Amino acid sequence: MRAGVALGSNLGDRLTNFRNARNEIAALSGVRPPVRVSAIYETEPIGCEAGAAKFLNAAMEFEYAGEAQDLLRELAAIEAQLGRSPTHARNISRTIDLDLLYFGDLEIETAELQLPHPRITGREFVLRPLADVQPDLVLPKQTESVRALLLRLPDTGAVVRIAGEW
């Protein structure tokens, strides 16, 4: 199945955090090429603690030979390896955040996993990088492409492309 993952980081060497996460994801035994990677965008923190640093955001898409729940566990292990505690509070600064956005056309609603990710459509910092790797994708539960969903959001200028290759 084709899987989409969002990456975010606002602590430490954010670009190194991204490169390490990308390399660890690409090295997972279930990942098959092609692995597509978006540009990197810098965004203001939303809903974080006062004084939180800006985030870097990006997206990856790849073929995964396994179950969505297995990939979710592997992403959590990579987060832990890169310095994020499994008990890390929501909406607090972090070295790395890896969110499973979609897994083919699966729709899953469990306490552990919601697919597609429930907040994709309203987040420019997710849609803009996702549009780099899969602009014509129509997510489960949607009738419009990622590109069309992105165009519906107000242009706030809050998501700024800072790097193409990483």
Side-chain angles (χ1 to χ4, degrees):
M1 290 272 178
R2 293 301 290 175
V5 174
L7 297 86
S9 175
N10 77 328
L11 287 179
D13 184 337
R14 301 171 303 165
L15 186 55
T16 296
N17 296 340
F18 266 35
R19 288 179 176 142
N20 290 339
R22 177 200 58 203
N23 293 341
E24 291 297 322
I25 292 168
L28 293 173
S29 63
V31 171
R32 305 284 183 263
V35 175
R36 295 185 181 125
V37 180
S38 75
I40 294 178
Y41 296 85
E42 188 171 59
T43 62
E44 294 292 334
I46 298 173
C48 283
E49 75 278 9
K54 290 183 179 182
F55 274 85
L56 291 186
N57 294 101
M60 294 178 68
E61 191 203 56
F62 47 86
E63 187 72 24
Y64 186 76
E67 300 296 321
Q69 293 82 352
D70 296 334
L71 179 55
L72 182 67
R73 281 189 285 280
E74 291 185 301
L75 293 174
I78 292 170
E79 287 178 333
Q81 177 184 338
L82 297 178
R84 181 175 175 172
S85 165
T87 59
H88 188 86
R90 187 173 180 190
N91 295 332
I92 299 294
S93 293
R94 46 209 171 266
T95 55
I96 196 71
D97 185 30
L98 303 175
D99 287 334
L100 183 55
L101 299 175
Y102 59 87
F103 197 79
D105 59 359
L106 285 182
E107 294 181 32
I108 299 174
E109 276 295 322
T110 67
E112 177 186 51
L113 179 61
Q114 294 85 45
L115 290 177
H117 192 287
R119 292 177 298 281
I120 293 176
T121 60
R123 291 182 164 176
E124 183 183 6
F125 65 87
V126 175
L127 286 175
R128 189 159 305 282
L130 188 54
D132 286 352
V133 295
Q134 200 57 273
D136 298 322
L137 174 68
V138 177
L139 295 160
K141 302 182 182 181
Q142 297 298 317
T143 58
E144 296 180 297
S145 70
V146 167
R147 178 185 304 130
L149 291 169
L150 178 60
L151 290 173
R152 287 185 174 275
L153 294 178
D155 185 5
T156 63
V159 177
V160 178
R161 181 182 168 137
I162 63 163
E165 295 292 321
W166 51 284

